[in-house]
Structures are given as C-alpha cells and as structure tokens.
Amino acid sequence: EPGYEMQVSLRSLLAAPLPTPEELLSQGAELYDAGHTRGIERLPVASGEDWHVLYCRAPGVKIAEKDWVTQCGILAYFTDFAMVATARLPHLRGKDHSERFGMTLTLDHSIHFHRPDLVDVCRWLVVHLRTTAAQGARGLVESKFYDPVSEVLLASCLQ
C-alpha cells in the first residue's frame, strides 16, 4: 500500500563503522554456536553497557526462492538469541561475569516484519539489541534486524 516510509538507520545505532563478517573472521573472531542453534551461525561484533551488535545467518538451510514465509519463520527463531544476555548487561557492570542468575526464560515477545519480501536468512543479517528497562525479575529488550549491504530494516522485536 502506498504511504510514508522511514526507518531508524543502522549507522545511527553504531558508535563505529560496521566491520564485515569477513573482516571479523580474518581478525580472529569466532563463530558462536551454543550447540542448540541447529546450523545457525552468530558472529559477535561489539557490545556496550546495555547493547550488543552481532551478525547471524542460517547458511545451510534450503529455502525455495521467494518463500518469505519460511524466511520470516527462521528470522523469528533468530529473535530468541542474545535477548536474555542483553537484558543482563547492565547488571553485570563491575561484577564477575560468571555470576549465576538462576533460570532464565522469556515469556513473550512481539515481532514486526517491516520488509518480509527482503528477508534472506542464508546471508548475514546485522542484529542490534538494546535493553531499555529492568524491574524485579523482568527486563525489556529491543532488537532490530538489518540487511548489512542495503541497511534496510527488515524486522524489529520487543521482548
């Protein structure tokens, strides 16, 4: 439907230029896989007091061309990665990072697909995560998924 268009730019969220995955890997960065991600690769880029930036992709997944429903389903699976870790960041300042938080889980989250027709989970996506509030045993994290080449905002998530 025709209408206004705008998005938060990826560059406005970053304190420094975004290195490519190839640059990070050539500098010794390691792909992260906790064993439960079923072929999904994650590559940390940077983090601060209340935010993370990472790349993620599912390179081995076979998806029919133009199957945006499956693409968005896999991106929805991506949304669970790093959300709880991001919510914990402000609470780890000045502490031993091995400190236990007990059992952690998420109860709900919402995903808004801004450009489902452009989602391609087989290629690297940039994820920017930021925690904005925590009270008691609850935290709020916002994530944004971008295509790193076009810098188009593909999806946003609140958890």
Side-chain angles (χ1 to χ4, degrees), residues 15-116:
L18 183 69
T20 66
E22 294 76 21
E23 290 170 336
L24 291 168
L25 292 168
S26 72
Q27 295 167 5
E30 293 185 30
L31 291 173
Y32 180 77
D33 181 2
H36 64 279
T37 59
R38 296 184 173 92
I40 294 171
E41 297 176 344
R42 292 181 285 160
L43 184 60
V45 176
S47 78
E49 290 186 359
D50 61 358
W51 58 272
H52 282 301
V53 176
L54 57 96
Y55 284 103
C56 65
R57 69 177 178 179
V61 175
K62 303 294 184 224
I63 302 171
E65 190 174 336
K66 308 280 186 194
D67 183 358
W68 64 269
V69 173
T70 301
Q71 294 278 0
C72 290
I74 294 170
L75 191 144
Y77 186 65
F78 287 177
T79 65
D80 274 337
F81 301 137
M83 294 292 258
V84 171
T86 303
R88 290 178 175 168
L89 284 173
H91 310 287
L92 294 174
R93 280 186 227 134
K95 294 184 179 176
D96 177 5
H97 285 244
S98 65
E99 180 181 327
R100 291 277 195 203
F101 277 85
M103 183 178 203
T104 57
L105 57 103
T106 61
L107 298 175
D108 61 2
H109 64 279
S110 62
I111 306 168
H112 300 270
F113 294 98
H114 308 295
R115 296 298 307 265

